[in-house]
Every structure is written in structure tokens, then in C-alpha cells.
Amino acid sequence: MTTTDLLRRRARLLGARAPLFYDEPLHIVRGEGVWLYDAAGRRYLDCYNNVPHVGHCHPHVVAALARQAATLNVHTRYLHETILEYGERLTSRFAPSLSMVLFVCTGSEANDQALRIARLHTGATGIICTNTTYHGNTTAVDELATLFHGGAGVAPHVRAVPFPDSYRPLGGLAGAALAAAYAQEVRHAIEAFQADGVGFAGMLVCPIFANEGLPVVPPGFMEQAVRHVREAGGLYIADEVQAGFGRTGRMWGYEIDAVVPDIVTLGKPMGNGHPLAAVVTRADLLEEFRAQVMYFNTFGGNPVSCAVGNAVLDVIDAENLVDNARVVGEYVRAGLRAMQDRHRLIGDVRGHGLWIGAELVCDRETRLPAAGEAHRTINMMKDRGVLMGRIGPHDNVLKIRPPMPFSRGDADLLLATLDEVLGRIERDPQ
Ligand SMILES: Cc1ncc(COP(=O)(O)O)c(C=O)c1O
């Protein structure tokens, strides 16, 4: 089957505009650890995929899945030890107040239920998000997808605030003044809800603002913003779909700012590719929700999913993957910063653990986004066997987010390949 045939069949079935990566799409047939293999047997270093968190097709996870699938798979309305064991293990890794769990299948569903819990608790509907974000694709969550809606929420009960950013700072401010200015935006959004007669339910943000382009958040912003939210009776919902499970070098992204959320949502890495996601929240909030909503999810938290979730936690612990993310992530960032001496295109390097962003700019003074160069970079990297993506409001931030067992040797290959690609692009601007 040629690429042309696959593309034709795909377009007829899924739609011609169904998204695909790269100018010449890849046909991947196998994965192992940090490597992906295409139909021609060519291998690619995966610096993009965070869902195969503990490595593609990790044998311990695959064995746990197969074992439980061969024994029993039903839903959560029967008693089952594995479900409880996983729920207890999972919640034990959070701050003590976050003690209960609601299992779902996708990050979108987790955020959808988080919105329901917050709206039910507050009796209000107003939600604050940022102006460059994505939290999923249900009807309620899509209202917050400002990344695809020109920077604004699409409903009167959604208000988007500028995301906190030290590289292109609001009003040219810095430090404490910048943090206060961004937090003021949250306060103004709350006041605007009140002026519109829309009650305020809470703020839903990714604690590392991953889809926003992984900005350096001015210290103190989160604490002040959440204070404004809570003073107005709202809840802080942290979307840990990108940041969670050790990716940042800490178990949870919210630990970076040490502000404990009221509700946390989980997804992507949780099941290493198996559709497992959850809401973790305070006991009072979940009990209140359960008292009023007969919530049931056919697939969410079934014994196979929970066996997989348990196995993912086993591997994170056994292979010290949280430490690895911190150490190797810092190594990659140091390598990228060193490359700034050779490559004028790299305007800024940032991130946490193995969630790394390198912002490409045409000019370091004006910080004009180099989106075309970022596009060329990821395609040329792919041609040389290294997979990465791009993100941010201008689509000019190289997005490096490999499976967690990524080693220093893998990092060296990534850095050497990027060095060569950026050199070529700088010598041959189009
Ligand atoms: C921060 C964040 N939240 C939620 C989601 C939605 O997750 P899912 O695709 O599993 O519904 C995404 C997906 O990219 C995401 O990046």
C-alpha cells in the first residue's frame, strides 16, 4: 500500500482535512521505548509523544494489560480490588486534600466533569481560561479552546485572560509587577462576569501553560491569581493532562508553584496509550457531585484500565523516571542554550523536566516569531529521523516532549541533529 493510496483512503473515510503531521506524512507501524519505526523499517527518535509516557509498548504495561484482559473486563459497578488499589495509589501521590477520584477515558471528559463539579458546587457557570489554550473537545470544553477560536472563549460564561509570559510580557513589565499585572487580569475577568450577571465558578488552566507555548511564568502569579479566584468563591481546576505523572521533574505540575488546586484533571500519560483519564478532587466536592449526579462511565476505570494505570506507576517508580525527566530535561535545555551562541534563530529556551520549548525568532531584539522556520525545522528534523512538534500562539515554539525514558545519549542525537538543521536553515533562508 503506497502513501498515496493510504492518503486517498484516509481522506475518503476521515475527511480531507483530518489533521496529519508533517508535509510528507509518516506511516508508523511499530514503537519501542523512545523509538518509532515506519513501514520501510526506518527508525525515528521520538521527541514528541508524551502519551507513551514510560516508553512505547513498555513490556510491563503490555503484560499487565494482557493479563487483566484475559481475566476480566467489566465496568466500575462491581466490586474489584484493582480499581481500588489503583485509586488509592494514585490519590496518595497528591496533596492530602485531593483524596478522591472519578475515572473517565479522555482528558476532554475529565475537564468536562471538572466543569460540572465546579459549576454544581458554586451554582454558577463562569469559567476563566487563557487566551491561547486547548483543554479538549466536548461541547462544554470546546468553549474554552481559545487556541482555535482566535483567543476568545465562544460562550458568555467563558472569559479568556492573557497567559502569563515573561518573554513577551504584558505592558513590558517584569518580576513582581508582571505577576501582579497578569493576576489583575484574572480579577478583571471575575469582575466582568459579575457585571454581566454571570456567576463565577472557577479558573481552569494548565499549571505549566503547555499549550500556550510553555512560558516562563512570573513568580507569584499563580498564588495571586488563585487567591482572586477563591476570594470570589471560585475553584482552581488544574489541567494536568500535559504536566502530570512526573513529566516536569515533579509528580504534578501544580507543585512548581506550590498552589494546591481544588480539582485536578488527568489523561494522556496515565495509561501509556490506553484510554485512561481521571478527575482527582477534594472529598467534599466529589461527595456533593455524587449526591446530585448519578455519574457512570461505561469504560472509565475498568479493571483493565486500572491494571494498566498501576503498571504505569510501577514503571515510573522502578525506572526513576521523574528524576530522569528532571536531569535529562535540564541537560537538553543546557544544550539548547549553548546552541544559542551559534544559532540566532533560537530566541528563548524554557520548560520543566522533559517538557521543553525552544522559541524561534527572526530577530532577538524584536522577537518577531519565526513560524516558517519552525515549520521547516520540524520537517527537516523528521527527514533526519527525529520527531518533534511546534506550539504556542505563533506556532514558532519547538515542542520537545519525549517519552520519559529519554536518555542523555538520545538528547545528544536530538541536539546534534537540531544543530545541523538550524545551521542549514540559517544559511539558506527561504
Ligand atoms: C492540556 C490538555 N487538556 C486536555 C486535552 C484533551 O485530552 P484528550 O485528547 O484526551 O481528550 C488536551 C489534548 O491535547 C490537552 O493538551
Side-chain angles (χ1 to χ4, degrees):
M1 184 71 53
T2 65
T3 302
T4 316
D5 290 334
L6 288 172
L7 284 171
R8 196 169 41 237
R9 281 170 67 198
R10 190 177 187 277
R12 190 192 69 71
L13 285 164
L14 308 184
R17 314 235 359 215
L20 267 173
F21 284 159
Y22 302 114
D23 293 346
E24 289 164 19
L26 282 176
H27 179 193
I28 298 290
V29 294
R30 189 167 73 81
E32 188 181 338
V34 296
W35 295 95
L36 287 170
Y37 298 81
D38 72 10
R42 172 148 196 231
R43 76 173 189 166
Y44 297 85
L45 179 64
D46 187 357
C47 301
Y48 179 83
N49 287 294
N50 58 344
V51 172
H53 191 59
V54 299
H56 289 277
C57 306
H58 194 290
H60 182 72
V61 179
V62 173
L65 184 151
R67 206 167 37 245
Q68 188 57 47
T71 309
L72 173 75
N73 197 15
V74 283
H75 47 80
T76 50
R77 287 185 293 188
Y78 299 101
L79 298 175
H80 200 282
E81 284 87 347
T82 305
I83 298 170
L84 302 180
E85 189 197 329
Y86 180 54
E88 284 165 359
R89 266 182 96 184
L90 182 67
T91 52
S92 74
R93 296 185 185 227
F94 285 88
S97 58
L98 297 166
S99 60
M100 290 185 78
V101 59
L102 182 88
F103 289 114
V104 296
C105 305
T106 67
S108 301
E109 270 187 285
N111 284 324
D112 202 75
Q113 295 314 311
L115 291 179
R116 277 179 93 183
I117 291 169
R119 286 172 169 159
L120 199 134
H121 175 71
T122 56
T125 55
I127 296 288
I128 290 175
C129 61
T130 80
N131 59 356
T132 312
T133 198
Y134 176 72
H135 295 287
N137 54 25
T138 71
T139 301
V141 180
D142 179 63
E143 291 177 347
L144 280 61
T146 50
L147 201 51
F148 309 126
H149 296 309
V154 294
H157 49 249
V158 172
R159 284 194 168 266
V161 294
F163 66 85
D165 182 6
S166 304
Y167 190 61
R168 291 191 169 77
L170 196 66
L173 296 167
L178 183 61
Y182 279 119
Q184 268 306 96
E185 294 285 332
V186 171
R187 222 170 76 134
H188 291 153
I190 296 169
E191 287 163 2
F193 275 138
Q194 287 157 351
D196 289 354
V198 176
F200 176 54
M203 176 175 80
L204 195 169
V205 292
C206 165
I208 59 167
F209 301 93
N211 291 329
E212 287 80 347
L214 215 64
V216 173
V217 176
F221 162 76
M222 197 57 104
E223 195 215 314
Q224 289 175 59
V226 171
R227 188 165 358 104
H228 292 322
V229 166
R230 288 184 173 145
E231 278 170 7
L235 299 180
Y236 166 32
I237 305 168
D239 179 338
E240 295 266 358
V241 167
Q242 294 272 353
F245 290 93
R247 166 69 48 191
T248 64
R250 292 180 162 94
M251 192 62 186
W252 309 114
Y254 74 75
E255 293 172 304
I256 292 168
D257 293 300
V259 181
V260 177
D262 302 294
I263 306 176
V264 168
T265 58
L266 306 171
K268 292 187 191 285
M270 191 173 179
N272 216 50
H274 182 84
L276 172 60
V279 178
V280 171
T281 186
R282 293 177 358 211
D284 62 315
L285 294 176
L286 196 64
E287 293 293 11
E288 181 180 48
F289 179 73
R290 289 280 194 205
Q292 297 186 52
V293 178
M294 203 305 281
Y295 182 79
F296 166 64
N297 190 308
T298 300
F299 299 117
N302 67 61
V304 171
S305 298
C306 288
V308 167
N310 261 321
V312 170
L313 292 181
D314 292 342
V315 181
I316 290 175
D317 293 344
E319 298 185 11
N320 280 323
L321 293 181
V322 183
D323 286 346
N324 188 65
R326 191 172 51 248
V327 172
V328 179
E330 203 41 59
Y331 180 75
V332 175
R333 270 185 296 280
L336 290 168
R337 289 196 181 108
M339 274 165 60
Q340 283 187 293
D341 293 342
R342 293 189 294 286
H343 299 297
R344 54 180 170 72
L345 268 173
I346 306 178
D348 196 29
V349 176
R350 50 193 191 240
H352 306 274
L354 279 172
W355 222 129
I356 299 155
E359 175 149 2
L360 300 193
V361 291
C362 300
D363 176 325
R364 286 197 192 152
E365 284 295 306
T366 63
R367 302 186 175 183
L368 185 70
E373 287 81 352
H375 175 88
R376 279 181 77 194
T377 301
I378 62 160
N379 279 285
M380 288 172 69
M381 291 293 285
K382 185 267 292 178
D383 292 343
R384 287 157 179 75
V386 179
L387 305 184
M388 55 166 61
R390 58 190 178 127
I391 191 90
H394 312 289
D395 245 351
N396 65 324
V397 181
L398 301 180
K399 174 178 175 179
I400 302 169
R401 199 190 47 177
M404 296 275 279
F406 201 71
S407 68
R408 275 175 190 255
D410 300 327
D412 287 337
L413 178 57
L414 158 70
L415 291 167
T417 313
L418 187 61
D419 201 6
E420 191 252 320
V421 164
L422 291 180
R424 274 181 190 263
I425 292 176
E426 284 164 347
R427 281 194 301 279
D428 175 26
Q430 287 180 350

